[in-house]
Amino acid sequence: MPRLRLPSLIDVHVHLREPGGEHKEDFESGTRAALAGGITALLAMPNTQPPLIDSASLALAERAAALRACCDYGIYLGACAENIAFAADLAPRTCGLKCYLNDTFGTLRIDADDLHTVREHFERFPKDRPIVCHAEGQMVASAILCAHLANRSVHIAHVSRADEIALIRAAKERGIAVTCEVCPQHLFLSLADAPRLGKGRSEVRPRLATPADQAALWANMAYIDCIATDHAPHLLSEKDSATPPPGFPGVETSFALMLTAVHDGRLTLDDVLARMAYNPRRLFGIRDPEQTWIEVDTDALWQPRGAHMHSRAAWTPFEGWTLRGRVESVTLRGVTVYEGGRFRVQAGFGRNLAPIHQT
Ligand code: NCD
Ligand code: ZN
């Protein structure tokens, strides 16, 4: 059986629900799920309850993570009209600034008309620290122009549509500093899968797009910097309710989906490692930890099952798919923290990757 030692993965877009949504996920359950997927570092999103928008709320997530995280992590600060004056001061405690320019789960949001807030944040946040935008459709153009005028780069989260990747490609070809990520759900699922998944279980932001959008993402892989999951855990009882929250869990299936695509000849293993290990570390300024790697059986066939997931969400939109390639073990800073489906890691082993915590 071909067992490869590979660099460990980093996922720049993960929702861990602490504080305020621990019944869906917490730093322990989410980081264990990440390890099982070969991810040794993740960047946690700020649309929690309360949202992470100031020092006190950021401290809630920092404390929870310090106690419970099993893999390394960074924490995003959320941008809003109220924190223009002090967001930059908090930058050293964060992995970057997240701007929500479209509606999604939670209340954290910059109003669609509030161009002033976007421009102020882009001017003030340190130029060498990432700004990540949830920007769909025309908001992609808005984010790219505001960043360009502020003489800084911007990272567009979860690009899902042909027109969006075409715009990002055009900007890149003109030398504009923009990077982007695409999620497995938009590479492997489309609106054609929605009836099979059902109403609540196909709800995700950005929405599943058309098969033509899906094909455009694959065709423009050269312009996609990162594959990130947007791991957005919600319980099945919530997904199957009358008001399903949007979001899919993803950290336990992302690498296997990409390895399956490698096996199918859609891209190379190097293409995948560039987008799941090297580029994200470089773009987010995160050092490669020493003595850290994963071992992968690239031939192993397995079927994701919600019941076997380590995420508290306990479901997957890829239920029963046959995937080729499985993470067999994960070694983080010299410790084999995951092997053969078992964890050998204490809650709190994970380290904060923010510059203020790096020595
Ligand atoms: C995310 C969540 O549940 O927090 N949901 C989603 O559908 N992706 C929020 C987000 O990333 O937009
Ligand atoms: Zn998200």
Side-chain angles (χ1 to χ4, degrees):
M1 119 182 133
R3 205 163 153 139
L4 289 184
R5 181 184 282 203
L6 299 175
S8 71
L9 311 176
I10 166 166
D11 189 341
V12 301
H13 193 145
V14 173
H15 298 267
L16 290 184
R17 309 304 187 200
E18 265 202 283
E22 294 81 357
H23 68 288
K24 298 174 192 277
E25 199 81 290
D26 66 14
F27 269 92
E28 183 168 359
S29 61
T31 53
R32 283 162 70 100
L35 286 174
I39 295 160
T40 60
L42 59 80
L43 306 186
M45 285 294 165
N47 64 333
T48 47
Q49 195 52 258
L52 310 182
I53 53 169
D54 55 21
S55 181
S57 50
L58 191 57
L60 295 175
E62 287 171 335
R63 271 199 293 276
L67 287 172
R68 282 184 277 286
C70 297
C71 74
D72 294 345
Y73 58 91
I75 302 172
Y76 286 101
L77 184 73
C80 58
E82 292 71 30
N83 65 8
I84 290 172
F86 56 87
D89 298 336
L90 296 171
R93 284 166 61 187
T94 74
C95 59
L97 183 71
K98 177 70 185 283
C99 301
Y100 286 93
L101 305 180
N102 298 93
D103 273 335
T104 186
F105 181 68
T107 54
L108 184 57
R109 170 81 206 261
I110 297 174
D111 196 80
D113 283 339
D114 192 355
L115 197 49
H116 169 77
T117 293
V118 177
R119 293 199 66 188
E120 284 295 322
H121 277 298
F122 280 33
E123 288 290 349
R124 292 168 184 240
F125 205 68
K127 302 270 151 76
D128 59 346
R129 305 297 303 152
I131 290 185
V132 176
C133 284
H134 179 136
E136 300 182 37
Q138 299 211 34
M139 285 301 176
V140 180
S142 176
I144 293 173
L145 181 64
C146 290
H148 189 61
L149 294 178
N151 199 24
R152 61 158 304 130
S153 68
V154 66
H155 180 82
I156 308 296
H158 42 47
V159 175
S160 66
R161 290 171 15 191
D163 56 355
E164 295 168 351
I165 196 66
L167 183 78
I168 290 167
R169 175 178 177 161
K172 284 185 175 217
E173 285 172 347
R174 281 162 184 75
I176 294 174
V178 56
T179 60
C180 71
E181 77 200 20
V182 168
C183 305
Q185 59 267 28
H186 298 115
L187 287 172
F188 293 92
L189 298 170
S190 73
L191 280 170
D193 297 282
R196 177 178 56 79
L197 288 167
K199 183 179 174 303
R201 296 188 200 190
S202 57
E203 276 291 351
V204 66
R205 297 294 175 276
R207 290 185 170 82
L208 295 180
T210 66
D213 289 314
Q214 187 184 3
L217 296 179
W218 283 102
N220 286 286
M221 190 56 75
Y223 299 90
I224 296 170
D225 302 279
C226 306
I227 305 291
T229 62
D230 193 9
H231 177 80
H234 299 285
L235 302 188
L236 270 185
S237 55
E238 298 165 334
K239 294 296 283 179
D240 292 342
S241 73
T243 51
F248 295 165
V251 286
E252 292 172 80
T253 45
S254 56
F255 193 43
L257 283 161
M258 296 312 295
L259 288 175
T260 305
V262 170
H263 185 263
D264 294 345
R266 306 185 79 175
L267 73 181
T268 68
L269 181 58
D270 280 347
D271 292 334
V272 173
L273 293 176
R275 288 160 183 78
M276 298 186 78
Y278 303 125
N279 293 346
R281 283 206 167 85
R282 180 172 48 79
L283 295 175
F284 286 76
I286 289 168
R287 276 188 232 124
D288 234 343
E290 283 176 18
Q291 291 188 283
T292 297
W293 62 83
I294 61 178
E295 287 187 351
V296 176
D297 179 348
T298 51
D299 261 2
L301 292 170
W302 66 288
Q303 298 186 322
R305 299 279 174 204
H308 297 157
M309 295 286 138
H310 301 94
S311 166
R312 230 162 250 168
W315 75 281
T316 166
F318 307 104
E319 178 80 25
W321 285 32
T322 297
L323 303 184
R324 186 182 286 267
R326 192 174 52 207
V327 176
E328 296 295 337
S329 77
V330 177
T331 301
L332 174 56
R333 285 183 266 110
V335 180
T336 301
V337 289
Y338 175 82
E339 188 162 35
R342 288 183 193 283
F343 295 95
R344 296 205 238 120
V345 62
Q346 292 290 319
F349 181 71
R351 283 193 191 158
N352 193 329
L353 300 167
I356 204 170
H357 296 275
Q358 286 181 7
T359 49

